[in-house]
Amino acid sequence: MDPIRIAVVGMGKIARDQHLPAIAGNRAFSLAATVSPRDSGIEGVPHLRSLDALLEEGPAIDAVALCTPPQVRYDLAAQALARGIHVFLEKPPGATLAEVHALSAQAERTGASLFASWHSRFAAGVAPARAWLAERRIDSVKVIWREDVRVWHPGQAWIWEPGGLGVFDPGINALSIITHILPRPFFLSEATLEIPENRAAPIAADLHFRDTRGAPIHMDLDWRQTGPQSWDVLVETDAGTLKLAHGGAVLTLPSETVRNEDHEYPGLYARFATLVTGGRSDVDVSPLTLVADAFLRGTRLTTEAFFD
Ligand code: NAP
């Protein structure tokens, strides 16, 4: 079968760090073009300044990976789907829930595949954690997601703007994990969002959820963490503690440890290839729904100004 000719749109940090190597490492894909308004692309691959230009001038493509900030993703995705081009959405899949639902319906109409990707779900420990928890009683869950925004998102103005999600940009990764591994649905009980006085999005959030049997889930998100960083999930069960660390790459169960740091983007592209060849889509908005609920129901506190 011919490889899927894919264009990477939005040549920023994640495109260069993860998408390009994952595409190069998967024979189901060939990198047909890159698109970015200011970036100059990579040697030997056609580069265009906009998706409009690519669709008008070529080269021909079968799929796009949209690695832009979420605020501009809907228009790009709708434009691609309208031409029957398959779409891989970086997380979060959109700036609003309604636009993702609209894309999902459009994909169904056009027959193109739409993949709302959640990279953390492809971390090595996540699938075995889900399998282990399926048979356990969940007593409580604690999520600690504390990182230094100056290290991980230097100068990214979009992340602090409406639709950029602030600390929920990494926090939604934790939500993508726990919505996948916990056996029952859960929902927000209360939340506090700390928003710097000069920004539109939170720098920290404290969230309390409970599942449909009442098990408490506490989430501590903070972007002001210097020194050691934490991307951990702890689940207390009737059979002992499950710990997912390093964003899901390291799983510790009472009986064993599973570890693999480079699992996520190769797994995402393998999944996208399966969706395209099978003529299917995969659009789960549950992590974005919980973030939207935090903005809907959370108490906002103004905190000191943040400067990069
Ligand atoms: P970034 O470094 O700011 O890159 C975003 C890129 O999008 C910019 O380089 C910009 O290109 C391009 N862009 C903006 N508007 C565009 C448009 N209309 N058409 C084409 N390109 C456009 O951001 P990032 O960190 O890579 O994050 C991008 C997305 O990936 C976010 O949704 C984020 O949540 C997700 N993500 C990020 C990470 C991470 O570790 N950084 C990890 C996983 C997922 P120019 O530079 O050419 O202007």
Side-chain angles (χ1 to χ4, degrees):
M1 219 181 107
D2 289 338
I4 301 161
R5 297 164 298 179
I6 191 165
V8 171
V9 180
M11 288 286 283
K13 184 173 188 314
I14 199 61
R16 286 182 175 276
D17 288 358
Q18 297 291 345
H19 288 258
L20 297 182
I23 291 167
N26 187 329
R27 275 192 260 159
F29 293 95
S30 67
L31 181 63
T34 56
V35 173
S36 222
R38 289 175 305 165
D39 189 274
S40 48
I42 58 171
E43 217 183 309
V45 177
H47 181 77
L48 294 107
R49 298 276 163 218
S50 67
L51 184 59
D52 281 333
L54 172 62
L55 296 176
E56 264 174 42
E57 297 162 27
I61 55 166
D62 308 303
V64 286
L66 300 183
C67 307
T68 65
Q71 293 97 330
V72 298
R73 214 169 277 150
Y74 171 81
D75 288 331
L76 299 169
Q79 203 180 352
L81 291 173
R83 298 193 180 214
I85 293 168
H86 310 294
V87 174
F88 177 133
L89 298 169
E90 246 304 347
K91 50 71 39 170
T96 69
L97 281 163
E99 70 188 35
V100 185
H101 290 304
L103 289 178
S104 203
Q106 189 185 0
E108 216 163 285
R109 282 195 308 275
T110 62
S113 295
L114 179 66
F115 181 29
S117 74
W118 298 107
H119 64 87
S120 295
R121 285 187 179 171
F122 288 78
V126 171
R130 177 182 161 103
W132 193 81
L133 289 172
E135 304 186 356
R136 304 290 183 287
R137 187 190 70 222
I138 311 296
D139 293 331
S140 66
V141 181
K142 194 162 177 51
V143 176
I144 304 154
W145 227 252
R146 291 178 152 254
E147 62 177 48
D148 186 345
V149 65
R150 291 189 172 90
V151 170
W152 301 104
H153 300 282
Q156 289 184 343
W158 61 265
I159 217 162
W160 293 103
E161 285 161 11
L165 298 190
V167 75
F168 286 98
D169 176 81
I172 203 168
N173 298 333
L175 288 169
S176 76
I177 292 176
I178 61 174
T179 49
H180 191 63
I181 65 172
L182 295 177
R184 280 184 296 281
F186 58 92
F187 44 86
L188 193 78
S189 324
E190 57 177 288
T192 307
L193 313 183
E194 288 185 60
I195 303 176
E197 63 185 15
N198 61 338
R199 303 283 180 167
I203 194 165
D206 188 73
L207 306 141
H208 291 272
F209 303 91
R210 64 193 157 89
D211 78 7
T212 49
R213 281 198 198 157
I217 299 166
H218 178 229
M219 195 162 172
D220 167 8
L221 304 180
D222 207 317
W223 249 351
R224 298 165 296 197
Q225 177 87 356
T226 53
Q229 310 280 288
S230 307
W231 298 283
D232 300 333
V233 176
L234 287 155
V235 186
E236 299 299 337
T237 78
D238 55 340
T241 304
L242 173 149
K243 181 173 181 184
L244 269 173
H246 294 238
V250 183
L251 169 66
T252 306
L253 297 171
S255 54
E256 60 173 321
T257 296
V258 175
R259 175 191 296 270
N260 182 344
E261 302 279 350
D262 296 316
H263 214 256
E264 297 182 11
Y265 282 77
L268 285 178
Y269 274 91
R271 172 85 178 135
F272 188 42
T274 306
L275 292 172
V276 169
T277 51
R280 287 180 297 126
S281 290
D282 176 355
V283 184
D284 175 12
V285 293
S286 58
L288 187 59
T289 302
L290 293 168
V291 172
D293 284 354
F295 280 95
L296 199 60
R297 177 128 199 225
T299 300
R300 287 165 172 73
L301 300 178
T302 301
T303 188
E304 66 183 29
F306 175 85
F307 299 97
D308 271 314

